[in-house]
Amino acid sequence: MMMMEESISDNNKQQQEIGQDNNINNNNNRDHNNEDENETIATDIEDISTLLAKIEDANAGSRPPRKYSEQDNSNPEWFKHKKHFFIFSFSGKPIYSRYGDEVALNTFMATLSAMTSFVESQNDVLRSLVAGKHQFVFLQKNPLCLVCICNTGEPQMMIQQQLEYIHAMVISVLTQTNIKAVFDAKYDLRDLLGGTDKLIDNIIHKVNLDFPILLNSVQCIRLNYNTRNSITNILQNRKSDSIIFSLLLVDNKLVSMVKQKKTQTLKPQDIHIILNYISSSTIKDSESFMPICLPNFNDAGFLHLYICFIYPQVCLLLFSNQVDSFYQLSECKDLIVKDIESENLVDELTKSANTHEYSTSQTEVPNLLHFIYKNRISNYSTHPIFTSPYTSKPEKKRLFRLYQHIYNRANNSLNKPHKYYYYTSQTETIFVLINSSHEIYATFSPLELKKSVFESLNILLQWIKENENVLFLST
Amino acid sequence: QREGSEHEKILFCYPPTISIGEQTNYVGLTEGYILCSKQFSPNQPCEAIHTQKTTIGIYSPENDIYMLLSLNNPAGPLGKDGKREYYEDEIDDLLVQKLLQQTYQTWLLFNGTMNSTILRTGNLGGYEYLRKRLDSFLKPYVKMMPLDQLDLFNALGGIKFLPIDKNIYLTIFNYVNSAEVSFQTTLSTFRFGVLLYKDNLILSSMDQNETRLLYNYLVNQVKVGQDSAYCLPLMASNVDNENQWYTKGTSRRTGFLNTPDNVSKRDLPIIYLENGTKPTYMIIYEQKDTISLFLIDPSELDQLLLKELSSCLVSNFEFINPALEDGYNKKTAFDEQYKYIYFNQMNLAIKASIKSKGAELTKETIKMLNEIHSDFEKKLSSEVTIRTQSDRWIVAKKVDYREFYVIFDNKNINILEVTEEVKNLTSKYFKIDHV
């Protein structure tokens, strides 16, 4: 325990030097019953779960072990991983590696760094290398450099988008100004990113299979209109001046979102970062309070996020710009919970966690195998669960990669995206329709005739329109 | 610019205005990238590098020899903040690879392999000699490359065949055969190569790859069938046992290419067939848009009398010329109706109503055609239909080894009507079966 507090105060010192004074205020909130909470509030940069693991690991003083962390580039097995991610500074200092310990990969990252700085010296920016099936994709976000090395066959644009998400994740922990300041002061960024390996691992895992991220959108939970409406009203009513955003999530999907007037709406990338924090955390049944930077909202400062799981799988999020608003927010939560109970919404809410998914057969669209749909104005998307023939993991992965490929083809034009993109192969037919209000990617059997595909698509669009107020938040 | 480099040695670089420092930089860069990527992909080395401002392709045709082609990405205008927007996805990787391959193949045809050149002239200065050769041979070739107008035609590398009916075919066959036979009695290595009318191939006795190479040379460099007032033809000629390029005057005449007086043979180019191993003399005879190409081994060249050959070819020419003209004109008439490209991978035949540098091929269309072709190559899809923002329809199909692309610019047509049209078109004219 002693070691713990030392490292905490070290952390504090460093942060003070950078100019943060959030922790001091948080340290004062010691009146809570939950002991875990104390520790959590004190080290506001480190992730909750890894903090607990650190406590267990106090003697070793090391980070929690990750799979494959013993490998490095002297081990031929290491090269066989399908998708590597690396983060390093522009001077070549390693910060993160998905597989293997980044310290041992020092020389490797230095090579990558040399490759990019060489191109930079020519006043140019390195984007990617192609070698057979392998791609090396680079993203420069001074002072950081992010690289992905993979042989998954994904379009370069998609991988760049994924690297952007990881970068956004790093910003969310530290803020962009801090990252720059750390480098200027020549501190090691790894110390400050100490427990965030898990966060980055998780977001990497997610970008590889999440449809909403692929479409740059947010998935809303399917919930009946009245329930949703009532909840939105409750959130509206129970706001306080310091609350900038209130969100209610069920099973990590959006139920309702309310914002202060004159604030911009949250961009999908920010929402996914928030979702990543929630799903990476292991504490599911109490309150927590942490600083978080939302890169698209304001990448120079922290917002303070109050998280509380008011029911199993039901999570309330309140964002405030005031560092000492924990009690205020907690009271808000109490009021919100009271309102929800008084309007008898608890059952609907908790049940929806298990009943919100739907399959293509529920749409009653003939011949439809799967689809993904996005409303381009609100940035909300929806998709059914995987059904036959996409039931095995490789098949699901293959379909995901196919959607990625087609998304890239349909959206990658010099002008705007194509109006129609009809694609047939031996395994399926995918019909894409994009206009200014929505985009839809629908999968059918390869043997279907164009006529029936076209008709089915129209029926599907009709179904979505009819179910709009159940599938999406109203705008 | 491009260069071939081996170990730390630069063999060729174009444009030569790049400083030595920069050239060595490029070499170091490529080596670094190749080494690093080899760790992950040992069997398929680095073949492309993309930066914001350039697209680079790398090709290694022989052991320790690397060819690098760097093209500038198209860019938008200079904005107020002094920054330009670069369109990084425009240049297709497959296309750059094809260009490198074609360049190497042309080199191979006229010079043999690079490594053998080094060995052959070891005493006279191995690498230095190769450097000089590369400089004199590749520089004019690279200068003439249409780098800012790359499109699907470059990627496909097809050959246009002229469809002629059986009788005419037999007549032409007879024509070349009789020429061959009358000389072969004394010169056993004399043989027929290819026969072209304008830019269409009629007959070939060589294997597919060599046919394609010679066809490309005749059509793209010598510019057969194109009005030489608009473009400067480039031809290979033998100077001291090395092939050099020279530009021919603009007059078209009947007679042997490369021989100023129809008698002396010292200017006839040597080509290296069978993958650069077998040196052969190439004799090209031109008559009124018909080109006949014959080959003979170096050992027997002296015994060949060009005057005899030309009189033999001229005497029977009247039989075949009108038929060829007819067939050609008929073909062009049909083409006008639809905008299409048809390519058969098996025999390399290409039929297209869209001209290579035509107005229908906007940048956007070129990009889409390249992407679809790329998907076809990777066996990702078998049919694609696209309707762009500007209401242009592109339908592409691949059945077995045949690829077919059609463009419609009809705003009021819907997807089902488009499908019907394509179906009619293909079944009527190309007999492609429908799935």
Side-chain angles (χ1 to χ4, degrees):
Chain A
M1 274 329 207
M2 269 305 284
M3 250 178 104
M4 207 57 248
E5 279 169 353
E6 267 173 32
S7 68
I8 291 169
S9 52
D10 274 348
N11 242 340
N12 283 348
K13 278 208 195 91
Q14 269 185 335
Q15 287 158 20
Q16 273 171 15
E17 284 167 27
I18 298 169
Q20 278 185 353
D21 52 3
N22 300 329
N23 336 341
I24 311 176
N25 288 329
N26 286 334
N27 273 334
N28 293 334
N29 297 327
R30 288 197 187 277
D31 299 332
H32 249 263
N33 299 335
N34 200 327
E35 199 185 79
D36 287 332
E37 211 98 55
N38 267 338
E39 245 88 48
T40 316
I41 296 167
T43 62
D44 53 13
I45 288 233
E46 285 181 342
D47 187 38
I48 302 162
S49 55
T50 49
L51 183 58
L52 291 178
K54 239 194 179 173
I55 295 171
E56 291 163 23
D57 244 4
N59 293 333
S62 60
R63 289 184 356 236
R66 292 154 69 214
K67 214 174 163 195
Y68 301 116
S69 57
E70 76 292 352
Q71 290 180 347
D72 62 35
N73 57 340
S74 58
N75 178 345
E77 285 300 309
W78 185 78
F79 292 98
K80 297 206 187 131
H81 290 294
K82 284 202 111 180
K83 205 165 179 184
H84 289 264
F85 281 94
F86 304 100
I87 306 179
F88 49 90
S89 73
F90 66 84
S91 55
K93 262 208 302 189
I95 294 173
Y96 168 86
S97 163
R98 186 187 190 191
Y99 298 111
D101 182 46
E102 74 274 356
V103 180
L105 292 167
N106 208 345
T107 39
F108 183 74
M109 300 228 206
T111 324
L112 291 177
S113 172
M115 292 184 351
T116 53
S117 45
F118 178 81
V119 177
E120 271 201 51
S121 64
Q122 320 231 306
N123 244 334
D124 199 352
V125 183
L126 181 61
R127 298 291 195 214
S128 68
L129 299 177
V130 178
K133 291 215 174 73
H134 277 84
Q135 282 189 82
F136 295 53
V137 182
F138 295 78
L139 185 68
Q140 321 272 46
K141 292 276 192 189
N142 270 344
L144 296 177
C145 184
L146 298 95
V147 184
C148 174
I149 303 181
C150 68
N151 66 354
T152 52
E154 292 167 272
Q156 187 186 329
M157 179 183 99
M158 295 269 100
I159 301 181
Q160 272 169 341
Q161 182 209 38
Q162 294 167 8
L163 289 172
E164 297 265 1
Y165 265 82
I166 297 174
H167 181 247
M169 196 70 235
V170 174
I171 298 185
S172 76
V173 174
L174 294 174
T175 80
Q176 180 69 352
T177 22
N178 284 345
I179 295 178
K180 288 219 163 85
V182 168
F183 276 98
D184 289 340
K186 297 201 187 350
Y187 284 124
D188 190 344
L189 199 66
R190 270 181 304 149
D191 290 339
L192 293 172
L193 285 177
T196 53
D197 278 349
K198 187 151 185 255
L199 284 174
I200 303 182
D201 286 346
N202 272 348
I203 197 132
I204 291 176
H205 177 71
K206 222 171 168 219
V207 298
N208 263 328
L209 48 71
D210 194 58
F211 285 121
I213 292 185
L214 166 61
L215 294 172
N216 202 27
S217 64
V218 180
Q219 188 178 2
C220 308
I221 199 160
R222 194 167 69 118
L223 186 63
N224 94 52
Y225 179 71
N226 290 324
T227 318
R228 180 172 262 141
N229 215 16
S230 313
I231 294 180
T232 312
N233 285 335
I234 295 173
L235 289 178
Q236 271 290 28
N237 294 336
R238 295 302 181 186
K239 268 192 330 196
S240 74
D241 279 337
S242 68
I243 296 182
I244 307 189
F245 297 104
S246 325
L247 280 84
L248 191 69
L249 304 173
V250 169
D251 189 26
N252 249 16
K253 306 206 179 22
L254 206 52
V255 172
S256 181
M257 178 162 72
V258 162
K259 68 176 177 69
Q260 226 178 33
K261 285 205 179 67
K262 296 192 198 156
T263 325
Q264 26 165 325
T265 31
L266 284 173
K267 294 251 157 33
Q269 195 184 54
D270 284 349
I271 298 186
H272 284 290
I273 293 198
I274 300 166
L275 295 179
N276 194 41
Y277 272 97
I278 312 278
S279 54
S280 307
S281 121
T282 50
I283 296 185
K284 299 274 193 216
D285 55 357
S286 59
E287 305 163 283
S288 36
F289 191 60
M290 55 182 272
I292 183 173
C293 168
L294 297 179
N296 293 296
F297 179 76
N298 176 9
D299 69 354
F302 284 103
L303 283 182
H304 298 271
L305 171 59
Y306 171 88
I307 307 176
C308 180
F309 279 87
I310 55 183
Y311 306 107
Q313 289 189 301
V314 181
C315 180
L316 177 67
L317 302 167
L318 302 169
F319 287 85
S320 156
N321 51 11
Q322 285 168 20
V323 83
D324 53 357
S325 49
F326 178 76
Y327 282 116
Q328 232 188 351
L329 298 175
S330 188
E331 278 170 19
C332 258
K333 179 239 349 172
D334 291 332
L335 291 173
I336 292 174
V337 172
K338 219 171 47 151
D339 279 351
I340 292 179
E341 281 168 2
S342 68
E343 293 193 32
N344 288 324
L345 299 169
V346 185
D347 275 342
E348 282 273 357
L349 211 49
T350 43
K351 253 196 322 189
S352 64
N354 298 323
T355 59
H356 70 94
E357 291 179 339
Y358 61 95
S359 67
T360 49
S361 48
Q362 283 172 271
T363 62
E364 289 176 7
V365 174
N367 308 315
L368 182 66
L369 295 180
H370 189 260
F371 72 90
I372 52 181
Y373 170 94
K374 170 181 165 183
N375 181 318
R376 298 184 90 197
I377 303 173
S378 63
N379 280 331
Y380 294 134
S381 71
T382 184
H383 61 88
I385 53 171
F386 284 114
T387 44
S388 162
Y390 306 107
T391 40
S392 68
K393 198 161 169 214
E395 274 298 286
K396 290 182 192 174
K397 206 41 176 299
R398 188 183 65 79
L399 186 63
F400 183 77
R401 295 266 179 253
L402 187 55
Y403 277 129
Q404 278 183 317
H405 176 80
I406 294 193
Y407 181 86
N408 189 41
R409 287 279 184 252
N411 281 292
N412 207 11
S413 161
L414 275 178
N415 309 327
K416 298 184 236 139
H418 300 312
K419 286 187 186 173
Y420 293 153
Y421 195 97
Y422 188 100
Y423 165 105
T424 310
S425 71
Q426 287 185 326
T427 42
E428 54 263 305
T429 291
I430 299 191
F431 192 10
V432 180
L433 194 155
I434 303 181
N435 61 31
S436 50
S437 62
H438 57 249
E439 41 190 271
I440 183 159
Y441 304 74
T443 311
F444 301 86
S445 143
L447 304 171
E448 287 304 325
L449 295 173
K450 280 213 178 63
K451 188 151 180 281
S452 61
V453 167
F454 198 62
E455 282 167 1
S456 295
L457 190 73
N458 283 323
I459 300 176
L460 178 59
L461 286 171
Q462 189 65 15
W463 180 84
I464 294 178
K465 189 116 185 59
E466 286 164 10
N467 286 280
E468 233 174 18
N469 55 11
V470 171
L471 292 170
F472 307 115
L473 264 56
S474 41
T475 34
Chain B
Q1 69 263 70
R2 65 168 11 170
E3 61 188 341
S5 79
E6 183 216 22
H7 298 304
E8 314 270 308
K9 299 181 184 171
I10 297 167
L11 295 173
F12 169 75
C13 183
Y14 179 88
T17 45
I18 300 185
S19 69
I20 287 291
E22 256 193 82
Q23 291 185 25
T24 17
N25 273 344
Y26 264 101
V27 176
L29 176 86
T30 336
E31 284 185 334
Y33 288 177
I34 294 175
L35 275 173
C36 184
S37 55
K38 245 196 181 130
Q39 293 178 306
F40 287 89
S41 172
N43 299 324
Q44 292 171 301
C46 186
E47 57 199 39
I49 301 173
H50 293 261
T51 68
Q52 187 191 26
K53 300 183 184 167
T54 63
T55 300
I56 301 176
I58 303 177
Y59 174 60
S60 178
E62 299 173 31
N63 232 348
D64 281 338
I65 306 256
Y66 293 91
M67 295 174 72
L68 189 131
L69 174 60
S70 170
L71 298 168
N72 287 326
N73 287 333
L78 209 53
K80 280 180 266 173
D81 53 357
K83 293 208 183 127
R84 248 184 242 273
E85 194 197 334
Y86 290 90
Y87 304 115
E88 299 173 28
D89 266 337
E90 289 307 296
I91 303 176
D92 192 54
D93 279 347
L94 202 62
L95 213 58
V96 179
Q97 280 293 310
K98 275 266 138 88
L99 275 179
L100 284 167
Q101 283 166 16
Q102 277 167 12
T103 311
Y104 177 70
Q105 297 281 359
T106 312
W107 162 272
L108 190 66
L109 185 68
F110 287 102
N111 295 282
T113 64
M114 292 190 197
N115 275 316
S116 70
T117 315
I118 297 172
L119 289 172
R120 202 166 14 114
T121 56
N123 295 336
L124 302 170
Y127 290 118
E128 262 317 303
Y129 179 73
L130 182 59
R131 282 206 191 91
K132 287 211 188 84
R133 274 304 294 144
L134 283 169
D135 196 59
S136 65
F137 186 81
L138 284 185
K139 209 178 347 195
Y141 180 83
V142 170
K143 247 191 183 144
M144 297 266 292
M145 274 170 65
L147 289 174
D148 53 349
Q149 290 173 320
L150 299 174
D151 54 30
L152 187 63
F153 290 99
N154 298 92
L156 294 175
I159 300 176
K160 287 191 230 176
F161 285 89
L162 186 65
I164 41 178
D165 71 36
K166 223 187 199 162
N167 289 328
I168 317 253
Y169 181 80
L170 285 173
T171 318
I172 296 178
F173 186 73
N174 205 20
Y175 171 72
V176 296
N177 213 25
S178 59
E180 221 183 22
V181 159
S182 57
F183 284 90
Q184 262 173 1
T185 42
T186 46
L187 305 164
S188 56
T189 65
F190 179 82
R191 57 196 186 283
F192 168 68
V194 299
L195 185 87
L196 267 73
Y197 180 78
K198 290 207 176 151
D199 56 351
N200 281 244
L201 183 67
I202 315 283
L203 199 60
S204 166
S205 69
M206 311 181 71
D207 76 33
Q208 200 178 69
N209 205 28
E210 288 172 347
T211 307
R212 184 193 244 174
L213 285 172
L214 290 172
Y215 175 83
N216 277 333
Y217 167 66
L218 290 169
V219 173
N220 294 328
Q221 264 70 52
V222 180
K223 299 222 193 321
V224 178
Q226 288 179 44
D227 191 344
S228 43
Y230 289 115
C231 48
L232 223 47
L234 201 62
M235 269 174 299
S237 161
N238 200 337
V239 177
D240 292 331
N241 265 340
E242 290 175 359
N243 288 315
Q244 300 278 10
W245 296 106
Y246 77 99
T247 51
K248 183 181 175 222
T250 52
S251 57
R252 281 271 177 235
R253 59 194 184 97
T254 298
F256 292 100
L257 253 46
N258 315 51
T259 55
D261 53 7
N262 271 357
V263 172
S264 69
K265 299 169 244 173
R266 58 165 201 269
D267 290 338
L268 291 176
I270 300 182
I271 55 174
Y272 294 80
L273 298 174
E274 287 170 33
N275 258 335
T277 52
K278 186 164 178 229
T280 319
Y281 274 97
M282 176 167 72
I283 307 164
I284 306 177
Y285 193 78
E286 180 184 10
Q287 313 176 70
K288 277 204 208 164
D289 290 328
T290 304
I291 300 261
S292 333
L293 191 147
F294 293 89
L295 304 161
I296 191 168
D297 273 4
S299 51
E300 295 189 338
L301 182 65
D302 292 331
Q303 299 166 45
L304 177 68
L305 292 171
L306 290 181
K307 264 221 172 95
E308 270 186 54
L309 180 58
S310 67
S311 56
C312 170
L313 290 173
V314 168
S315 55
N316 292 322
F317 186 61
E318 295 89 49
F319 292 118
I320 64 168
N321 192 45
L324 291 175
E325 266 188 62
D326 245 5
Y328 191 81
N329 292 330
K330 247 193 253 174
K331 181 183 170 199
T332 36
F334 161 73
D335 279 357
E336 307 307 312
Q337 256 189 321
Y338 292 97
K339 299 179 215 173
Y340 70 91
I341 302 175
Y342 165 83
F343 177 68
N344 185 329
Q345 263 186 359
M346 290 294 269
N347 62 6
L348 301 182
I350 193 166
K351 284 189 216 172
S353 68
I354 304 175
K355 301 280 178 295
S356 178
K357 320 290 174 206
E360 292 94 10
L361 291 181
T362 61
K363 276 209 148 50
E364 192 196 359
T365 309
I366 293 177
K367 185 166 182 227
M368 283 192 283
L369 291 177
N370 279 335
E371 285 180 350
I372 299 174
H373 175 66
S374 186
D375 281 353
F376 283 164
E377 285 292 293
K378 294 190 198 144
K379 305 212 192 312
L380 281 177
S381 80
S382 58
E383 182 183 336
V384 177
T385 303
I386 305 179
R387 180 183 191 179
T388 68
Q389 272 292 321
S390 46
D391 283 324
R392 163 171 275 195
W393 290 90
I394 297 183
V395 182
K397 266 174 120 79
K398 180 162 185 176
V399 180
D400 297 328
Y401 288 100
R402 294 172 291 182
E403 294 174 32
F404 187 66
Y405 305 81
V406 193
I407 300 179
F408 293 99
D409 277 316
N410 189 338
K411 272 194 198 280
N412 299 317
I413 205 169
N414 72 32
I415 193 170
L416 300 172
E417 289 166 7
V418 166
T419 321
E420 271 306 302
E421 285 261 10
V422 174
K423 203 167 168 187
N424 287 337
L425 179 64
T426 53
S427 56
K428 242 207 287 188
Y429 298 112
F430 298 110
K431 305 189 181 58
I432 298 179
D433 295 328
H434 287 270
V435 173

